[in-house]
Amino acid sequence: MPDQSITLTMTAAAMPGATLLCPIGMSTPHVSAIGFRWTGGRGHIVSDPTSGQNAVVLAPDAANLRLRWSYALGGLAYPEIMFAKRDTRFARAADALVTQARHVVAQAPGDPVKALADHVAAQFTYGHPDTRFYDNHDNIPQLCSITEGSCVDINAYFIAACRTAGIDAGYVTGCFLPAEKRTHCNDMHCWVVTRLGGEVREWDIAHHLKMNTRDIQPGLNPKPGARVPLAHSMGLNFPTEGVSDLKLIGEPMWLDASGTFHEANPEISFQGYEVLNQARI
């Protein structure tokens, strides 16, 4: 019988005086998170009461922390709380964006979600700018010219636009394994799930832009590959760690004694690409 195991492994070098905040994995209709283990540190579970998610905080006692997530094919519906509107600057639409999004939807009654996805794509070029378009804002501002943005930036805009136009939308973070790599990737990825009239669809605008098209189609993998989900939502809170309105949790992050987050830059490896690829996940 072929090996059906699906595991994601990350190895992070210890940061003196800091603890590592780690998502423990989430389940979707495609895969179920069935285990999270680690070596190289002592850990305790923390909870975000606003999103219903748990994470683990790890204090290293070795040079490296090794983290391993396990998944199985198949799962339940996306969690209802993922679609809840959250009072966070990472999803709160500015008045001008509210007006714009509602206008786009009013002009496209046939498929308002795709119309919004195409509209959002038209506002961006893909990239990782040093300054985000929403930095120093308490909401997601309307864009009036083409702006450089990462998957995080693009999806924040898409989420804000959808929700203010009356479309349920959820934000998922995880890892994408490109077809040309299969066993590893360099960093996290994120995508959006919408729900309208009972129809649930996934969207990956950033990958369309990376393939030089702004004609956005629903689906998980417009760019060939496979993906695993780790967490959901933006504007997270972990009260026991003094963390509030955290943009997101994807890759594990170091939290130092001053309350400042630092990138962990873990090495990421994967087993089970063919299992996910055959299931078109």
Side-chain angles (χ1 to χ4, degrees):
M1 180 177 178
D3 185 0
Q4 295 292 299
S5 60
I6 303 168
T7 58
L8 178 69
T9 303
M10 298 189 194
T11 303
M15 180 177 178
T19 55
L20 195 67
L21 180 65
C22 309
I24 62 174
M26 70 170 287
S27 297
T28 72
H30 311 292
V31 294
S32 296
I34 58 174
F36 174 67
R37 289 182 282 181
W38 69 86
T39 58
R42 307 175 310 280
H44 62 274
I45 294 175
V46 295
S47 299
D48 171 18
T50 59
S51 73
Q53 295 182 95
N54 294 327
V56 171
V57 174
L58 299 172
D61 56 17
N64 294 293
L65 275 167
R66 185 175 176 84
L67 320 167
R68 179 172 175 169
W69 294 261
S70 300
Y71 293 84
L73 284 179
L76 302 176
Y78 284 104
E80 183 66 27
I81 198 168
M82 188 180 85
F83 297 103
K85 291 184 178 180
R86 303 171 65 82
D87 187 23
T88 168
R89 70 183 186 91
F90 302 114
R92 186 188 306 124
D95 290 344
L97 178 54
V98 172
T99 300
Q100 182 185 60
R102 292 177 180 175
H103 175 75
V104 170
V105 166
Q107 298 300 308
D111 191 344
V113 185
K114 174 170 166 49
L116 268 181
D118 288 339
H119 173 77
V120 170
Q123 312 306 308
F124 286 95
T125 58
Y126 182 81
H128 292 267
D130 293 332
T131 302
R132 316 284 183 165
F133 71 91
Y134 48 85
D135 285 349
N136 301 317
H137 289 267
D138 64 358
N139 53 33
I140 300 296
Q142 178 195 14
L143 293 177
C144 299
S145 60
I146 294 180
T147 300
E148 185 181 28
S150 67
C151 60
V152 174
D153 309 325
I154 295 165
N155 288 333
Y157 199 80
F158 190 28
I159 287 282
C162 284
R163 289 179 175 175
T164 197
I167 299 166
D168 289 342
Y171 181 100
V172 181
T173 57
C175 289
F176 175 78
L177 290 306
E180 66 272 19
K181 294 183 179 179
R182 296 173 181 256
T183 60
H184 65 283
C185 63
N186 297 329
D187 54 17
M188 64 154 286
H189 188 52
C190 59
W191 53 99
V192 169
V193 181
T194 61
R195 185 176 63 185
L196 182 65
E199 183 180 20
V200 175
R201 293 188 286 180
E202 293 115 343
W203 304 84
D204 195 331
I205 296 174
H207 276 186
H208 281 80
L209 295 182
K210 292 180 78 170
M211 296 188 301
N212 298 313
T213 178
R214 287 185 167 82
D215 178 16
I216 310 303
Q217 301 297 327
L220 282 179
N221 295 322
K223 184 178 187 296
R227 63 190 67 204
V228 289
L230 287 171
H232 67 78
S233 299
M234 303 183 87
L236 305 178
N237 303 279
F238 295 101
T240 60
E241 310 308 304
V243 174
S244 62
D245 208 23
L246 175 66
K247 182 191 294 185
L248 56 86
I249 182 169
E251 285 182 17
M253 298 176 289
W254 290 110
L255 180 62
D256 68 22
S258 71
T260 302
F261 280 102
H262 304 268
E263 292 184 359
N265 297 316
E267 294 182 3
I268 304 172
S269 60
F270 185 72
Q271 177 183 335
Y273 177 87
E274 293 301 334
V275 178
L276 292 183
N277 191 49
Q278 290 172 11
R280 296 186 178 277
I281 299 172

